[in-house]
């Protein structure tokens, strides 16, 4: 059977975590002989590439810190109806050029509602195609339930109207998707859990780091990222780990001013400060504790490395994804949680010492989500082809 042609749509509005998860899945699809067109809708990522895939860049949009619902063009100006129409037409032209056997939308229709102006036309075109493709949604293990019941009802109506199945990139041993998005409880028979999409696959091993540290700190981007690092560095002399080797990673997007302030504080407290490391999982594997946020990709790193964590989940704007993930990990003795509102050096020092003393975790998680997602997508395609062939014969 000829491997399928796949159109994989990914809209990222702030960070690039969604793109990196999709990249790992696409790489596994390519290994299985699939032809993949990856459609990106956020600001261009310098140096980003997926060898073997076709990458289509839509006119980019993102959101600012003030509002998650106002879409901005690459230059920071709000987009208008003409911009939306041009993007929609661009996306539909990509579909017509690629003629996919499978269409995958990342997050939508359970998220990315702001992109409805282009995604419902795409789905309608695919659904009406004489060679209708298999239509799937690619979902993170924890979703953000909309405040409006009208919006959640619309999500479910779109899923029932257009989609054949949902691919859930999570492990039910950690969290079940219906815990964060209850309406999906009635659709679980159309859900396929793949495990977490981790930075290494079943055939890979974690590469060792070039040097070793006992305590790692990474805060992500933005103002709260600075606060996490500043509190952690100040916590060092208050912790039982004060004489150990500490490494703090500021992140490539931290402002020069914040980085320089942290550098002075780090020097005074005997903490090594760097912007970025590409051997983070190896560093975690050798560390006694990692202090970090609770986003999907950073938690996957932590679980692969089997490193105890101190988690400061992002709860800004009423977001519940990171607090729920952190709560689940704490309940399984994988981490200690410090809420943002209680973030200070004393609380962080106590949390670090508790995390170092955590027993070795007994719960095992499926971390092979990229390979399993690719296998499931290909299997669903084969099942569709077999069913169609049977109908033609009958």
């Amino acid at each position: 059977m000829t491997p399928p042609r796949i159109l994989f749509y990914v809209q990222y509005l702030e960070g690039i975590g969604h793109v990196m998860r999709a990249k790992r899945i696409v790489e596994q699809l390519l290994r299985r002989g699939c032809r993949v067109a990856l459609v990106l809708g956020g600001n261009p990522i310098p140096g980003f590439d997926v060898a073997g895939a076709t990458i289509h860049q839509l006119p980019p949009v993102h959101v600012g810190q003030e509002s998650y619902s106002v879409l901005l063009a690459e230059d920071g100006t709000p987009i208008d109806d003409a911009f939306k129409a041009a993007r929609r037409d661009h996306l539909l032209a990509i579909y017509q050029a690629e003629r996919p056997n499978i269409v995958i939308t990342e997050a939508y229709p359970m998220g990315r509602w702001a992109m409805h102006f282009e995604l419902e036309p795409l789905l309608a075109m695919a659904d009406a195609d004489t060679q209708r493709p298999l239509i799937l949604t690619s979902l993170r293990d924890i979703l953000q339930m909309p405040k409006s019941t009208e919006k959640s009802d619309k999500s479910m109506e779109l899923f029932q109207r257009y989609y054949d199945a949902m691919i859930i990139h999570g492990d039910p041993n950690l969290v079940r998707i219906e815990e964060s998005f209850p309406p999906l409880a009635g659709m679980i028979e159309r859900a396929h859990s793949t495990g977490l999409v981790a930075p290494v696959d079943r055939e890979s091993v974690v590469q060792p780091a070039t040097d070793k540290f006992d305590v790692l700190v990474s805060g992500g981007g933005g103002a709260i990222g600075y606060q996490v690092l500043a509190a952690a560095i100040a916590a060092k002399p208050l912790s039982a780990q004060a004489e150990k080797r500490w490494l703090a990673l500021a992140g490539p997007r931290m402002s020069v001013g914040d980085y320089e302030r942290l550098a002075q504080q780090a020097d005074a407290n005997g903490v090594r400060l760097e912007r970025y490391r590409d051997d983070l999982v190896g560093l975690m594997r050798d560390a006694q504790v990692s202090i970090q946020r609770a986003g999907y990709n950073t938690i996957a790193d932590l679980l692969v490395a089997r490193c105890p964590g101190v988690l400061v989940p992002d709860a800004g704007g009423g977001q519940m994804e990171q607090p729920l993930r952190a709560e689940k990990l704490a309940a399984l003795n994988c981490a200690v949680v410090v809420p943002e509102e209680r973030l200070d050096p004393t609380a962080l020092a106590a949390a670090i010492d508790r995390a170092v003393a955590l027993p070795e975790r007994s719960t095992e998680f499926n971390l092979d989500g990229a390979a399993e997602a690719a296998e499931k997508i290909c299997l669903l395609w084969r099942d569709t082809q077999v069913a169609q062939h049977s109908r033609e014969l009958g």
Side-chain angles (χ1 to χ4, degrees):
M1 187 176 293
T2 304
R5 301 183 304 277
I6 301 173
L7 181 71
F8 198 151
Y9 171 102
V10 182
Q11 175 63 58
Y12 49 104
L13 296 172
E14 292 181 296
I16 62 171
H18 295 275
V19 184
M20 299 314 295
R21 182 168 61 248
K23 179 178 185 289
R24 290 167 181 164
I25 296 167
V26 169
E27 288 171 340
Q28 291 290 338
L29 288 166
L30 293 169
R31 287 187 185 183
R32 288 156 178 78
C34 302
R35 196 184 86 185
V36 183
L38 182 59
V39 180
L40 301 179
N43 288 343
I45 304 168
F48 180 84
D49 189 30
V50 185
T54 300
I55 298 179
H56 296 279
Q57 174 68 59
L58 295 173
V61 297
H62 66 283
V63 294
Q65 295 183 348
E66 295 76 19
S67 174
Y68 202 77
S69 60
V70 178
L71 297 177
L72 307 175
E74 192 172 10
D75 62 3
T77 59
I79 67 173
D80 56 17
D81 289 342
F83 186 104
K84 290 180 180 180
R87 244 187 78 126
R88 177 201 63 211
D89 293 345
H90 190 161
L91 179 58
L92 297 181
I94 291 170
Y95 174 88
Q96 291 171 330
E98 293 290 344
R99 306 304 304 167
N101 304 119
I102 303 173
V103 171
I104 305 173
T105 59
E106 197 275 331
Y108 191 82
M110 285 73 183
R112 297 292 181 269
W113 298 289
M115 312 314 298
H116 180 73
F117 68 90
E118 65 186 13
L119 284 176
E120 186 162 8
L122 173 68
L123 294 170
M125 175 178 282
D127 190 58
D129 201 328
T130 54
Q131 297 294 320
R132 183 190 183 277
L134 186 69
I135 302 177
L136 308 174
T137 177
S138 168
L139 301 175
R140 190 177 56 197
D141 58 346
I142 300 175
L143 304 174
Q144 182 69 23
M145 185 68 184
K147 297 176 183 178
S148 162
T149 55
E150 180 182 358
K151 189 173 285 185
S152 61
D153 289 346
K154 179 66 173 178
S155 294
M156 297 310 299
E157 188 271 327
L158 286 167
F159 179 76
Q160 290 175 302
R161 188 197 314 172
Y162 292 120
Y163 286 83
D164 298 291
M166 64 184 92
I167 309 297
I168 302 171
H169 307 298
D171 185 334
N173 288 324
L174 178 59
V175 63
R176 301 184 67 86
I177 197 167
E178 62 267 29
E179 293 181 62
S180 59
F181 206 99
L184 287 178
M187 296 287 164
I188 293 304
E189 74 280 359
R190 291 162 67 183
H192 303 274
S193 292
T194 69
L196 291 159
V197 177
V200 295
D201 60 38
R202 65 179 69 145
E203 299 172 358
S204 303
V205 295
V206 175
Q207 295 300 312
T210 54
D211 44 9
K212 294 185 179 183
F213 296 87
D214 301 291
V215 180
L216 300 178
V217 189
S218 56
I224 188 64
Y226 172 84
Q227 293 167 27
V228 171
L229 270 78
I233 292 170
K236 182 175 184 282
L238 307 177
S239 165
Q241 317 308 313
E243 301 305 315
K244 303 291 182 64
R245 296 193 68 203
W246 288 49
L247 172 66
L249 300 174
R253 294 187 297 169
M254 180 173 285
S255 71
V256 173
D258 282 348
Y259 186 84
E260 290 177 348
R261 282 188 289 275
L262 279 180
Q264 293 178 357
Q265 184 188 7
D267 285 344
N269 286 277
V271 175
R272 182 164 159 183
L273 178 68
E274 297 182 18
R275 281 276 188 184
Y276 173 79
R277 292 284 294 256
D278 60 7
D279 56 352
L280 180 59
V281 179
L283 287 165
M284 284 183 177
R285 176 151 287 185
D286 291 332
Q288 292 182 289
V289 63
S290 175
I291 303 142
Q292 60 184 68
R293 307 296 258 160
Y296 184 100
N297 289 342
T298 53
I299 291 302
D301 292 344
L302 194 73
L303 294 176
V304 167
R306 302 187 67 89
C307 180
V310 172
L311 305 180
V312 186
D314 181 0
Q319 295 292 310
M320 51 75 63
E321 176 220 342
Q322 291 198 20
L324 177 57
R325 184 175 291 112
E327 172 192 317
K328 292 288 186 178
L329 288 165
L332 294 169
N333 284 328
C334 296
V336 175
V337 179
V338 178
E340 285 182 356
E341 63 272 16
R342 298 211 299 270
L343 179 63
D344 63 55
T346 302
L348 208 50
I352 291 166
D353 294 340
R354 292 207 312 276
V356 169
L358 285 173
E360 184 173 351
R361 81 171 195 236
S362 58
T363 304
E364 293 300 323
F365 302 105
N366 181 357
L367 302 172
D368 205 23
E372 292 202 15
E375 289 174 5
K376 177 55 65 175
I377 290 165
C378 291
L379 180 60
L380 287 169
W381 164 247
R382 287 195 297 269
D383 289 347
T384 300
Q385 290 299 96
V386 169
Q388 180 179 338
H389 184 64
S390 296
R391 286 193 299 269
E392 291 171 352
L393 291 177

